[in-house]
């Protein structure tokens, strides 16, 4: 068994699609109308047949509350791996991304946390 899809609640699907593709470099794999919302699946440009990230609308009150509480408590909604965290940090910072934690060494790993502008904190990790 393997993970093929994971979801991330977002406040605005269009804004999230722009941020995740233009700022983070993910590739849009699916964008399918589904009534009021869309099934938007993104993949890593390095692994286009890998795990899909679904930009899930937070339309349900429980989803909104969950997302809001995580953000308020400073808890990242998910984690993305990078090869060179200092390079990624500088590039994202130069592009206007707001970080709540600059690259910080923690044992064998280095992490940083940024705001995705769609209601989430995202953690980057370099192993």
């Amino acid at each position: 068994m393997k993970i093929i899809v994971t979801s991330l609640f977002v406040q605005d699907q269009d804004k999230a699609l722009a941020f995740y593709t233009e700022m983070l470099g993910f590739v849009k794999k699916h964008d399918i109308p589904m009534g009021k919302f869309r099934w938007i699946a993104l993949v890593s440009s390095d692994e286009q047949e890998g795990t899909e990230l679904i930009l899930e609308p937070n339309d349900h009150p429980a989803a909104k509350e969950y997302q809001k509480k995580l953000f308020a408590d400073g808890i990242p909604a998910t984690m993305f791996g990078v090869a060179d965290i200092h390079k990624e940090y500088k590039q994202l910072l130069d592009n206007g991304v707001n970080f709540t934690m600059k690259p910080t060494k923690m044992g064998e790993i280095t992490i940083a946390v940024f705001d995705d502008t769609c209601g989430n904190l995202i953690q980057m990790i370099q192993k």
Side-chain angles (χ1 to χ4, degrees):
M1 192 174 300
K2 66 180 183 174
I3 299 169
I4 60 169
V5 173
T6 187
S7 296
L8 184 65
F9 290 119
V10 297
Q11 297 165 334
D12 180 312
Q13 285 186 299
D14 289 321
K15 185 176 181 181
L17 178 59
F19 182 85
Y20 281 83
T21 56
E22 296 168 17
M23 299 294 268
L24 302 185
F26 286 97
V27 175
K28 180 172 61 173
K29 187 166 184 176
H30 304 290
D31 189 347
I32 303 165
M34 301 201 59
K36 181 179 172 185
F37 300 107
R38 296 159 27 217
W39 178 266
I40 302 174
L42 307 177
V43 292
S44 169
S45 61
D46 298 336
E47 292 184 35
Q48 294 192 25
E49 296 306 315
T51 304
E52 296 179 14
L53 175 65
I54 308 302
L55 300 178
E56 188 83 34
N58 72 350
D59 194 52
H60 190 280
K64 285 181 183 178
E65 189 65 18
Y66 171 77
Q67 184 184 35
K68 182 178 163 185
K69 295 275 189 184
L70 284 180
F71 191 91
D73 288 347
I75 300 171
T78 195
M79 180 188 314
F80 299 140
V82 296
D84 184 338
I85 199 164
H86 295 286
K87 178 182 172 185
E88 293 285 343
Y89 173 77
K90 182 178 179 342
Q91 181 179 344
L92 293 174
L93 202 59
D94 289 348
N95 286 333
V97 173
N98 180 37
F99 279 81
T100 60
M101 177 190 283
K102 64 182 182 179
T104 304
K105 185 118 174 106
M106 296 190 172
E108 299 292 315
I109 63 169
T110 303
I111 64 171
V113 179
F114 62 88
D115 181 343
D116 76 350
T117 74
C118 302
N120 302 294
L121 295 175
I122 305 297
Q123 183 169 291
M124 288 191 312
I125 181 172
Q126 177 184 331
K127 292 184 179 182

